[in-house]
Amino acid sequence: MAEENKTPEVQEQEVKSAKASYVTEQQTNPEQFLKDFNWHNYEEGIDPIEDDKLEEFEKLVADNFVDTLDDEVVEGTVINITDRDAIIDINAKSEGVVSLNEFRYNPNLQVGDKVEVLIDVREDATGQLVLSHRKARVIKAWDRVNKAHDEATIVNGYVKCRTKGGMIVDVFGIEAFLPGSQIDVKPIRDYDAYVGKTMEFKVVKINHEFKNVVVSHKALIEADIEEQKKEIIGQLEKGQVLEGTVKNITSYGVFVDLGGVDGLIHITDLSWSRINHPNEIVELDQKLNVVILDFDEAKTRIQLGLKQLSKHPWDALDENLKVGDKVKGKVVVIADYGAFIEVAEGVEGLIHVSEMSWSTHLRSAQDFVNVGDEVEAQVLTLDRDDRKMSLGIKQLTPDPWTDITEKYPVGSRHTGVVRNFTNFGVFVELEEGIDGLIYISDLSWTKKIKHPSEFCNVGDKLEVVVLELDVEGRKLSLGHKQTEENPWDKYEAEFAVGTKHTATIEEMVDKGATIKFNDDVVAFIPSRHLEKEDGTKLGKGDEAEFVIIEFNKEFKRVVASHMSIHKEEEAKIVKQAAKKTQEETSKPTLGDANADLQALKDKMDGKA
């Protein structure tokens, strides 16, 4: 029946019936009523509603429907999952759609799960409500992160991956930075072991401008450790033995974690034996017992010991060992003054370099032994109280000086090896333990040597003659030049005083000049002795006759003169004239003699 053909009574009855049905359904199940409400009929005016009922209806809508105009995060229920989307009911006029890409972090999403969403588009082209779970997570995440930071609460985070300097952690959907130093109280050696783990963190810093979050796992551990630390420090006593874990190994020692308190075992307190590096004794994360040796007043620096838990090796040393006994050991340390030999674990003896060879000329210990060498030695001194022992190697061989006078008598000739130089001579080794010194003046008869290196090299073999022998002082004086004839013995006769030689001026020097007679003999001419007969002087390159006026074999000094040649002729003339006058006049008078002398003087002066 058409609406206009109904009688007023029928229409009134239908309205009453509709109202009764509206009220009943509205009161008994308002949510279902709102869900099934015919919005089209209502908007078209087909289903008229009274004003008071309409107000009540609007109140129900306000109480049950989400205002899709507000950018607020709301909670919805997953009511369906398709291949691409998740259908979310947020009690709006229609269900919303969220791409499944936004749930990649949650592959176990299923129908009925409660999720937070933000209304992204109120209605798309198809009238569909578009929601965003990702945006909702970000908004809520920042609220939660800020709250966790302000209230210092603990949050859970998922370690996603490594990055430079630390790790990336997912906290409430926000990527936070976990510095490497904030992962644990102990140094981290394997960062990859933390990737993929869910751990507890504390938000320690937020940069709102750059949206950066820094978290720490170490802060949670330190809080617990601090309590343990106070308890442990309060109970520390010297000599106390505790169990610890090797936390860090350095070149100078080992840091041990005593349960929140770190102590240091110095390398010298690790073992009674000498070691080069602590990793020879311990390794990281190793558990071991240590003894407290000392600590400061605040008990912040704790000195630990490991070797002190075992008996000192000197206490276990053979009681029968005595001076004069032979021992074997390994060279563990070499110094310039000697070598340390470990004769038993933790027991060392020193072989001084002077006890390595019978030679009185000391050398470096490296010339005799190397680290790691197995050597045999004799015990020279043994002090068990001070735990010191000195050893000797040379004592295992006969002393070569016992029959030195027989093997190397004065005047005997030998061949030796140049070992080293001094400013005053050369040390020559005749045999192991027998060194002799050649003074620089005994190297050559003719050469003027300023330093021995000008004459020979280390390792050269030299012929020598024993010049002196001091058995008590263990000193041997040698000479090399004595193996050859002294050429100056021959020169002493060849260039005797008064002998004449022809030579050329070689060099003009201060206060005179020099002439070279041969490779060994160079004579000096004083300046006034360069004068020629005509009064001029000889110069470089001039050849003339010279007379030797001084010869010193010891100092190899030769002095010659040219002036004495012509002065000598004048002296001869005077002598001959005087002799002739004496012969002619048997009894000469004083006047005659004076006249003759005056005539000779005039002749010499060129007046006659």
Side-chain angles (χ1 to χ4, degrees):
M1 182 183 295
E3 187 69 28
E4 60 274 6
N5 295 329
K6 292 181 180 180
T7 63
E9 292 80 3
V10 174
Q11 292 180 357
E12 183 179 356
Q13 186 63 35
E14 287 179 353
V15 170
K16 288 180 179 181
S17 177
K19 287 181 179 181
S21 175
Y22 167 81
V23 173
T24 302
E25 186 176 359
Q26 172 184 320
Q27 293 174 345
T28 57
N29 191 357
E31 291 183 3
Q32 186 65 35
F33 169 76
L34 290 173
K35 183 177 180 181
D36 298 336
F37 187 78
N38 192 328
W39 293 95
H40 178 73
N41 289 349
Y42 170 72
E43 290 175 354
E44 295 296 329
I46 297 174
D47 294 335
I49 301 176
E50 295 180 2
D51 291 341
D52 56 340
K53 300 300 180 183
L54 182 59
E55 290 177 3
E56 187 175 353
F57 172 77
E58 290 174 349
K59 183 176 181 298
L60 285 173
V61 171
D63 293 340
N64 291 275
F65 281 169
V66 173
D67 185 359
T68 59
L69 297 177
D70 294 335
D71 292 334
E72 294 181 0
V73 176
V74 297
E75 186 177 72
T77 304
V78 179
I79 61 173
N80 189 23
I81 298 177
T82 67
D83 293 339
R84 298 176 56 186
D85 303 314
I87 310 303
I88 312 295
D89 180 12
I90 61 170
N91 287 336
K93 293 181 181 180
S94 61
E95 290 80 8
V97 177
V98 177
S99 172
L100 286 179
N101 288 333
E102 298 190 22
F103 292 99
R104 283 182 296 181
Y105 76 96
N106 183 13
N108 299 321
L109 182 70
Q110 57 186 1
V111 174
D113 286 353
K114 298 289 186 180
V115 294
E116 292 175 335
V117 293
L118 180 73
I119 300 172
D120 201 12
V121 179
R122 191 158 65 92
E123 287 184 358
D124 62 5
T126 62
Q128 182 68 57
L129 182 63
V130 179
L131 308 176
S132 174
H133 176 61
R134 179 182 58 80
K135 292 181 180 179
R137 287 187 71 212
V138 172
I139 293 174
K140 281 295 183 181
W142 278 104
D143 291 341
R144 292 169 182 166
V145 165
N146 281 299
K147 183 178 180 182
H149 177 262
D150 296 339
E151 298 178 0
T153 55
I154 299 174
V155 299
N156 288 327
Y158 175 77
V159 181
K160 297 178 64 175
C161 62
R162 283 192 60 179
T163 188
K164 184 178 180 181
M167 317 287 286
I168 298 298
V169 179
D170 186 319
V171 179
F172 303 134
I174 295 177
E175 288 190 347
F177 177 59
L178 172 63
S181 60
Q182 296 298 315
I183 298 176
D184 205 336
V185 291
K186 60 184 179 182
I188 303 301
R189 292 179 289 278
D190 184 11
Y191 285 81
D192 293 331
Y194 291 88
V195 176
K197 286 187 176 182
T198 299
M199 302 168 59
E200 291 185 336
F201 300 97
K202 186 176 181 180
V203 180
V204 294
K205 185 177 180 181
I206 298 178
N207 187 319
H208 293 281
E209 181 179 357
F210 297 102
K211 297 294 183 181
N212 292 335
V213 178
V214 180
V215 296
S216 171
H217 180 67
K218 176 182 176 181
L220 302 179
I221 302 175
E222 286 179 334
D224 296 335
I225 288 179
E226 193 61 32
E227 295 299 323
Q228 298 176 17
K229 187 174 181 180
K230 291 179 181 178
E231 183 178 351
I232 292 173
I233 288 178
Q235 299 174 357
L236 288 182
E237 294 180 3
K238 292 182 181 180
Q240 186 179 9
V241 178
L242 299 174
E243 184 183 54
T245 304
V246 177
K247 180 179 180 180
N248 192 21
I249 299 176
T250 68
S251 59
Y252 56 85
V254 176
F255 287 94
V256 178
D257 183 0
L258 302 175
V261 180
D262 289 348
L264 172 65
I265 308 176
H266 194 268
I267 186 172
T268 56
D269 290 315
L270 281 170
S271 172
W272 292 114
S273 299
R274 195 184 295 264
I275 59 174
N276 296 317
H277 197 277
N279 57 21
E280 298 175 21
I281 304 296
V282 298
E283 58 185 19
L284 288 172
D285 298 326
Q286 179 183 348
K287 292 188 180 297
L288 43 79
N289 289 329
V290 293
V291 61
I292 297 177
L293 302 180
D294 200 2
F295 47 76
D296 59 11
E297 294 183 359
K299 297 183 179 179
T300 55
R301 293 184 179 180
I302 305 171
Q303 182 182 346
L304 305 175
L306 180 64
K307 71 179 184 181
Q308 288 78 4
L309 295 177
S310 60
K311 190 176 181 180
H312 197 288
W314 272 88
D315 298 333
L317 188 64
D318 186 358
E319 295 180 357
N320 297 321
L321 186 66
K322 61 185 182 301
V323 172
D325 288 350
K326 296 180 181 179
V327 293
K328 291 183 178 180
K330 182 174 69 173
V331 179
V332 290
V333 174
I334 293 180
D336 289 337
Y337 55 85
F340 288 92
I341 313 299
E342 188 176 50
V343 298
E345 185 178 358
V347 179
E348 295 178 2
L350 171 64
I351 304 179
H352 193 270
V353 67
S354 62
E355 303 298 340
M356 292 182 175
S357 170
W358 288 110
S359 174
T360 56
H361 172 61
L362 300 183
R363 285 175 282 178
S364 176
Q366 287 91 336
D367 295 335
F368 298 96
V369 293
N370 297 309
V371 173
D373 286 353
E374 294 285 343
V375 299
E376 186 177 25
Q378 184 177 342
V379 178
L380 303 181
T381 64
L382 181 62
D383 189 338
R384 293 179 182 271
D385 294 333
D386 290 339
R387 293 170 176 170
K388 292 182 180 180
M389 181 189 307
S390 62
L391 307 173
I393 295 178
K394 70 181 184 181
Q395 288 77 9
L396 301 180
T397 58
D399 185 355
W401 283 82
T402 54
D403 56 352
I404 189 73
T405 55
E406 297 178 6
K407 291 191 294 184
Y408 301 103
V410 173
S412 59
R413 297 168 67 102
H414 308 275
T415 300
V417 179
V418 176
R419 288 304 179 195
N420 70 332
F421 302 131
T422 67
N423 290 330
F424 52 84
V426 180
F427 280 99
V428 176
E429 184 181 62
L430 301 181
E431 64 173 84
E432 179 64 32
I434 302 295
D435 289 345
L437 174 64
I438 305 176
Y439 282 98
I440 196 168
S441 59
D442 288 319
L443 287 172
S444 174
W445 290 113
T446 58
K447 293 181 180 179
K448 293 182 179 180
I449 303 170
K450 294 182 179 179
H451 192 273
S453 59
E454 300 173 8
F455 184 80
C456 58
N457 299 312
V458 173
D460 287 352
K461 291 184 177 181
L462 286 181
E463 293 292 326
V464 295
V465 174
V466 178
L467 303 181
E468 295 180 12
L469 179 59
D470 182 358
V471 178
E472 292 183 1
R474 291 178 176 261
K475 293 182 180 179
L476 200 61
S477 178
L478 306 175
H480 173 67
K481 70 181 184 181
Q482 288 79 2
T483 61
E484 301 172 352
E485 183 181 354
N486 187 356
W488 283 85
D489 291 339
K490 180 181 67 174
Y491 299 149
E492 188 176 20
E494 184 180 351
F495 298 98
V497 174
T499 58
K500 296 179 180 179
H501 307 271
T502 301
T504 302
I505 301 293
E506 175 126 345
E507 292 289 344
M508 300 301 296
V509 296
D510 187 27
K511 297 183 179 181
T514 61
I515 56 176
K516 187 175 182 181
F517 292 127
N518 57 41
D519 291 340
D520 298 331
V521 181
V522 176
F524 173 67
I525 315 298
S527 181
R528 67 188 184 90
H529 286 272
L530 292 171
E531 183 179 340
K532 295 190 289 187
E533 190 172 2
D534 61 2
T536 62
K537 287 188 177 183
L538 296 171
K540 182 177 180 180
D542 290 345
E543 184 180 67
E545 189 176 20
F546 298 90
V547 61
I548 304 300
I549 60 177
E550 182 182 345
F551 183 90
N552 189 314
K553 182 177 71 174
E554 182 179 356
F555 296 102
K556 300 178 179 61
R557 174 179 170 84
V558 179
V559 180
S561 171
H562 173 68
M563 181 188 71
S564 297
I565 297 292
H566 58 81
K567 290 293 184 182
E568 183 181 1
E569 291 298 328
E570 293 179 359
K572 284 182 178 181
I573 293 173
V574 172
K575 187 176 180 179
Q576 289 174 357
K579 184 177 180 181
K580 181 178 180 182
T581 302
Q582 187 177 7
E583 290 176 351
E584 292 176 354
T585 307
S586 56
K587 293 181 179 180
T589 63
L590 181 61
D592 295 335
N594 288 337
D596 291 338
L597 290 174
Q598 183 62 45
L600 178 61
K601 183 178 180 183
D602 291 342
K603 181 180 179 180
M604 293 177 65
D605 291 339
K607 295 178 180 180

mmCIF file with all atom_site columns, all heavy atoms in Angstrom, residues 567-580:
data_model
loop_
_atom_site.group_PDB
_atom_site.id
_atom_site.type_symbol
_atom_site.label_atom_id
_atom_site.label_alt_id
_atom_site.label_comp_id
_atom_site.label_asym_id
_atom_site.label_entity_id
_atom_site.label_seq_id
_atom_site.pdbx_PDB_ins_code
_atom_site.Cartn_x
_atom_site.Cartn_y
_atom_site.Cartn_z
_atom_site.occupancy
_atom_site.B_iso_or_equiv
_atom_site.pdbx_formal_charge
_atom_site.auth_seq_id
_atom_site.auth_comp_id
_atom_site.auth_asym_id
_atom_site.auth_atom_id
_atom_site.pdbx_PDB_model_num
ATOM 1   N N   . LYS A 1 567 ? 178.755 29.059 4.333  1.00 0.00 ? 567 LYS A N   1
ATOM 2   C CA  . LYS A 1 567 ? 179.392 29.602 5.531  1.00 0.00 ? 567 LYS A CA  1
ATOM 3   C C   . LYS A 1 567 ? 180.586 28.730 5.919  1.00 0.00 ? 567 LYS A C   1
ATOM 4   O O   . LYS A 1 567 ? 181.599 29.210 6.418  1.00 0.00 ? 567 LYS A O   1
ATOM 5   C CB  . LYS A 1 567 ? 178.386 29.657 6.689  1.00 0.00 ? 567 LYS A CB  1
ATOM 6   C CG  . LYS A 1 567 ? 177.300 30.699 6.529  1.00 0.00 ? 567 LYS A CG  1
ATOM 7   C CD  . LYS A 1 567 ? 177.844 32.118 6.599  1.00 0.00 ? 567 LYS A CD  1
ATOM 8   C CE  . LYS A 1 567 ? 176.709 33.143 6.535  1.00 0.00 ? 567 LYS A CE  1
ATOM 9   N NZ  . LYS A 1 567 ? 177.246 34.529 6.546  1.00 0.00 ? 567 LYS A NZ  1
ATOM 10  N N   . GLU A 1 568 ? 180.428 27.452 5.674  1.00 0.00 ? 568 GLU A N   1
ATOM 11  C CA  . GLU A 1 568 ? 181.515 26.508 5.964  1.00 0.00 ? 568 GLU A CA  1
ATOM 12  C C   . GLU A 1 568 ? 182.731 26.803 5.074  1.00 0.00 ? 568 GLU A C   1
ATOM 13  O O   . GLU A 1 568 ? 183.891 26.745 5.512  1.00 0.00 ? 568 GLU A O   1
ATOM 14  C CB  . GLU A 1 568 ? 181.044 25.075 5.756  1.00 0.00 ? 568 GLU A CB  1
ATOM 15  C CG  . GLU A 1 568 ? 182.101 24.028 6.099  1.00 0.00 ? 568 GLU A CG  1
ATOM 16  C CD  . GLU A 1 568 ? 181.602 22.604 5.860  1.00 0.00 ? 568 GLU A CD  1
ATOM 17  O OE1 . GLU A 1 568 ? 180.422 22.460 5.404  1.00 0.00 ? 568 GLU A OE1 1
ATOM 18  O OE2 . GLU A 1 568 ? 182.353 21.666 6.113  1.00 0.00 ? 568 GLU A OE2 1
ATOM 19  N N   . GLU A 1 569 ? 182.483 27.172 3.794  1.00 0.00 ? 569 GLU A N   1
ATOM 20  C CA  . GLU A 1 569 ? 183.567 27.503 2.878  1.00 0.00 ? 569 GLU A CA  1
ATOM 21  C C   . GLU A 1 569 ? 184.329 28.735 3.378  1.00 0.00 ? 569 GLU A C   1
ATOM 22  O O   . GLU A 1 569 ? 185.558 28.808 3.327  1.00 0.00 ? 569 GLU A O   1
ATOM 23  C CB  . GLU A 1 569 ? 183.000 27.749 1.474  1.00 0.00 ? 569 GLU A CB  1
ATOM 24  C CG  . GLU A 1 569 ? 182.460 26.512 0.803  1.00 0.00 ? 569 GLU A CG  1
ATOM 25  C CD  . GLU A 1 569 ? 183.536 25.456 0.593  1.00 0.00 ? 569 GLU A CD  1
ATOM 26  O OE1 . GLU A 1 569 ? 184.717 25.819 0.376  1.00 0.00 ? 569 GLU A OE1 1
ATOM 27  O OE2 . GLU A 1 569 ? 183.203 24.257 0.695  1.00 0.00 ? 569 GLU A OE2 1
ATOM 28  N N   . GLU A 1 570 ? 183.613 29.730 3.891  1.00 0.00 ? 570 GLU A N   1
ATOM 29  C CA  . GLU A 1 570 ? 184.236 30.928 4.414  1.00 0.00 ? 570 GLU A CA  1
ATOM 30  C C   . GLU A 1 570 ? 185.110 30.596 5.621  1.00 0.00 ? 570 GLU A C   1
ATOM 31  O O   . GLU A 1 570 ? 186.220 31.136 5.789  1.00 0.00 ? 570 GLU A O   1
ATOM 32  C CB  . GLU A 1 570 ? 183.166 31.956 4.796  1.00 0.00 ? 570 GLU A CB  1
ATOM 33  C CG  . GLU A 1 570 ? 182.404 32.522 3.609  1.00 0.00 ? 570 GLU A CG  1
ATOM 34  C CD  . GLU A 1 570 ? 181.350 33.516 4.046  1.00 0.00 ? 570 GLU A CD  1
ATOM 35  O OE1 . GLU A 1 570 ? 181.226 33.730 5.278  1.00 0.00 ? 570 GLU A OE1 1
ATOM 36  O OE2 . GLU A 1 570 ? 180.654 34.063 3.183  1.00 0.00 ? 570 GLU A OE2 1
ATOM 37  N N   . ALA A 1 571 ? 184.584 29.711 6.432  1.00 0.00 ? 571 ALA A N   1
ATOM 38  C CA  . ALA A 1 571 ? 185.360 29.332 7.627  1.00 0.00 ? 571 ALA A CA  1
ATOM 39  C C   . ALA A 1 571 ? 186.654 28.634 7.218  1.00 0.00 ? 571 ALA A C   1
ATOM 40  O O   . ALA A 1 571 ? 187.719 28.827 7.844  1.00 0.00 ? 571 ALA A O   1
ATOM 41  C CB  . ALA A 1 571 ? 184.518 28.418 8.499  1.00 0.00 ? 571 ALA A CB  1
ATOM 42  N N   . LYS A 1 572 ? 186.582 27.820 6.131  1.00 0.00 ? 572 LYS A N   1
ATOM 43  C CA  . LYS A 1 572 ? 187.781 27.133 5.655  1.00 0.00 ? 572 LYS A CA  1
ATOM 44  C C   . LYS A 1 572 ? 188.828 28.130 5.155  1.00 0.00 ? 572 LYS A C   1
ATOM 45  O O   . LYS A 1 572 ? 190.050 27.975 5.370  1.00 0.00 ? 572 LYS A O   1
ATOM 46  C CB  . LYS A 1 572 ? 187.443 26.167 4.532  1.00 0.00 ? 572 LYS A CB  1
ATOM 47  C CG  . LYS A 1 572 ? 186.789 24.879 5.017  1.00 0.00 ? 572 LYS A CG  1
ATOM 48  C CD  . LYS A 1 572 ? 186.521 23.961 3.848  1.00 0.00 ? 572 LYS A CD  1
ATOM 49  C CE  . LYS A 1 572 ? 185.905 22.645 4.316  1.00 0.00 ? 572 LYS A CE  1
ATOM 50  N NZ  . LYS A 1 572 ? 185.649 21.726 3.176  1.00 0.00 ? 572 LYS A NZ  1
ATOM 51  N N   . ILE A 1 573 ? 188.403 29.196 4.419  1.00 0.00 ? 573 ILE A N   1
ATOM 52  C CA  . ILE A 1 573 ? 189.313 30.213 3.888  1.00 0.00 ? 573 ILE A CA  1
ATOM 53  C C   . ILE A 1 573 ? 190.067 30.905 5.023  1.00 0.00 ? 573 ILE A C   1
ATOM 54  O O   . ILE A 1 573 ? 191.281 31.132 4.972  1.00 0.00 ? 573 ILE A O   1
ATOM 55  C CB  . ILE A 1 573 ? 188.550 31.241 3.025  1.00 0.00 ? 573 ILE A CB  1
ATOM 56  C CG1 . ILE A 1 573 ? 188.010 30.560 1.760  1.00 0.00 ? 573 ILE A CG1 1
ATOM 57  C CG2 . ILE A 1 573 ? 189.424 32.443 2.679  1.00 0.00 ? 573 ILE A CG2 1
ATOM 58  C CD1 . ILE A 1 573 ? 187.101 31.447 0.944  1.00 0.00 ? 573 ILE A CD1 1
ATOM 59  N N   . VAL A 1 574 ? 189.349 31.260 6.054  1.00 0.00 ? 574 VAL A N   1
ATOM 60  C CA  . VAL A 1 574 ? 189.961 31.924 7.215  1.00 0.00 ? 574 VAL A CA  1
ATOM 61  C C   . VAL A 1 574 ? 191.009 31.022 7.844  1.00 0.00 ? 574 VAL A C   1
ATOM 62  O O   . VAL A 1 574 ? 192.119 31.440 8.194  1.00 0.00 ? 574 VAL A O   1
ATOM 63  C CB  . VAL A 1 574 ? 188.881 32.317 8.247  1.00 0.00 ? 574 VAL A CB  1
ATOM 64  C CG1 . VAL A 1 574 ? 189.521 32.825 9.530  1.00 0.00 ? 574 VAL A CG1 1
ATOM 65  C CG2 . VAL A 1 574 ? 187.966 33.376 7.635  1.00 0.00 ? 574 VAL A CG2 1
ATOM 66  N N   . LYS A 1 575 ? 190.632 29.764 7.955  1.00 0.00 ? 575 LYS A N   1
ATOM 67  C CA  . LYS A 1 575 ? 191.545 28.802 8.598  1.00 0.00 ? 575 LYS A CA  1
ATOM 68  C C   . LYS A 1 575 ? 192.819 28.605 7.766  1.00 0.00 ? 575 LYS A C   1
ATOM 69  O O   . LYS A 1 575 ? 193.951 28.558 8.291  1.00 0.00 ? 575 LYS A O   1
ATOM 70  C CB  . LYS A 1 575 ? 190.806 27.488 8.783  1.00 0.00 ? 575 LYS A CB  1
ATOM 71  C CG  . LYS A 1 575 ? 191.604 26.470 9.593  1.00 0.00 ? 575 LYS A CG  1
ATOM 72  C CD  . LYS A 1 575 ? 190.760 25.224 9.819  1.00 0.00 ? 575 LYS A CD  1
ATOM 73  C CE  . LYS A 1 575 ? 191.554 24.203 10.632 1.00 0.00 ? 575 LYS A CE  1
ATOM 74  N NZ  . LYS A 1 575 ? 190.759 22.975 10.889 1.00 0.00 ? 575 LYS A NZ  1
ATOM 75  N N   . GLN A 1 576 ? 192.623 28.490 6.436  1.00 0.00 ? 576 GLN A N   1
ATOM 76  C CA  . GLN A 1 576 ? 193.776 28.281 5.551  1.00 0.00 ? 576 GLN A CA  1
ATOM 77  C C   . GLN A 1 576 ? 194.696 29.523 5.530  1.00 0.00 ? 576 GLN A C   1
ATOM 78  O O   . GLN A 1 576 ? 195.938 29.424 5.505  1.00 0.00 ? 576 GLN A O   1
ATOM 79  C CB  . GLN A 1 576 ? 193.295 27.960 4.136  1.00 0.00 ? 576 GLN A CB  1
ATOM 80  C CG  . GLN A 1 576 ? 192.658 26.580 4.017  1.00 0.00 ? 576 GLN A CG  1
ATOM 81  C CD  . GLN A 1 576 ? 192.066 26.337 2.634  1.00 0.00 ? 576 GLN A CD  1
ATOM 82  O OE1 . GLN A 1 576 ? 192.092 27.237 1.777  1.00 0.00 ? 576 GLN A OE1 1
ATOM 83  N NE2 . GLN A 1 576 ? 191.533 25.130 2.440  1.00 0.00 ? 576 GLN A NE2 1
ATOM 84  N N   . ALA A 1 577 ? 194.104 30.730 5.514  1.00 0.00 ? 577 ALA A N   1
ATOM 85  C CA  . ALA A 1 577 ? 194.889 31.972 5.506  1.00 0.00 ? 577 ALA A CA  1
ATOM 86  C C   . ALA A 1 577 ? 195.724 32.111 6.771  1.00 0.00 ? 577 ALA A C   1
ATOM 87  O O   . ALA A 1 577 ? 196.902 32.512 6.751  1.00 0.00 ? 577 ALA A O   1
ATOM 88  C CB  . ALA A 1 577 ? 193.975 33.184 5.343  1.00 0.00 ? 577 ALA A CB  1
ATOM 89  N N   . ALA A 1 578 ? 195.113 31.761 7.851  1.00 0.00 ? 578 ALA A N   1
ATOM 90  C CA  . ALA A 1 578 ? 195.837 31.861 9.132  1.00 0.00 ? 578 ALA A CA  1
ATOM 91  C C   . ALA A 1 578 ? 197.006 30.889 9.164  1.00 0.00 ? 578 ALA A C   1
ATOM 92  O O   . ALA A 1 578 ? 198.118 31.206 9.645  1.00 0.00 ? 578 ALA A O   1
ATOM 93  C CB  . ALA A 1 578 ? 194.877 31.584 10.282 1.00 0.00 ? 578 ALA A CB  1
ATOM 94  N N   . LYS A 1 579 ? 196.773 29.705 8.601  1.00 0.00 ? 579 LYS A N   1
ATOM 95  C CA  . LYS A 1 579 ? 197.825 28.683 8.592  1.00 0.00 ? 579 LYS A CA  1
ATOM 96  C C   . LYS A 1 579 ? 198.991 29.115 7.705  1.00 0.00 ? 579 LYS A C   1
ATOM 97  O O   . LYS A 1 579 ? 200.177 28.933 8.030  1.00 0.00 ? 579 LYS A O   1
ATOM 98  C CB  . LYS A 1 579 ? 197.239 27.349 8.111  1.00 0.00 ? 579 LYS A CB  1
ATOM 99  C CG  . LYS A 1 579 ? 198.239 26.196 8.156  1.00 0.00 ? 579 LYS A CG  1
ATOM 100 C CD  . LYS A 1 579 ? 197.581 24.912 7.739  1.00 0.00 ? 579 LYS A CD  1
ATOM 101 C CE  . LYS A 1 579 ? 198.578 23.765 7.775  1.00 0.00 ? 579 LYS A CE  1
ATOM 102 N NZ  . LYS A 1 579 ? 197.975 22.476 7.342  1.00 0.00 ? 579 LYS A NZ  1
ATOM 103 N N   . LYS A 1 580 ? 198.660 29.709 6.525  1.00 0.00 ? 580 LYS A N   1
ATOM 104 C CA  . LYS A 1 580 ? 199.701 30.146 5.577  1.00 0.00 ? 580 LYS A CA  1
ATOM 105 C C   . LYS A 1 580 ? 200.552 31.251 6.179  1.00 0.00 ? 580 LYS A C   1
ATOM 106 O O   . LYS A 1 580 ? 201.784 31.286 6.046  1.00 0.00 ? 580 LYS A O   1
ATOM 107 C CB  . LYS A 1 580 ? 199.024 30.632 4.289  1.00 0.00 ? 580 LYS A CB  1
ATOM 108 C CG  . LYS A 1 580 ? 200.033 31.077 3.232  1.00 0.00 ? 580 LYS A CG  1
ATOM 109 C CD  . LYS A 1 580 ? 199.289 31.490 1.964  1.00 0.00 ? 580 LYS A CD  1
ATOM 110 C CE  . LYS A 1 580 ? 200.286 31.932 0.899  1.00 0.00 ? 580 LYS A CE  1
ATOM 111 N NZ  . LYS A 1 580 ? 199.613 32.390 -0.331 1.00 0.00 ? 580 LYS A NZ  1
#
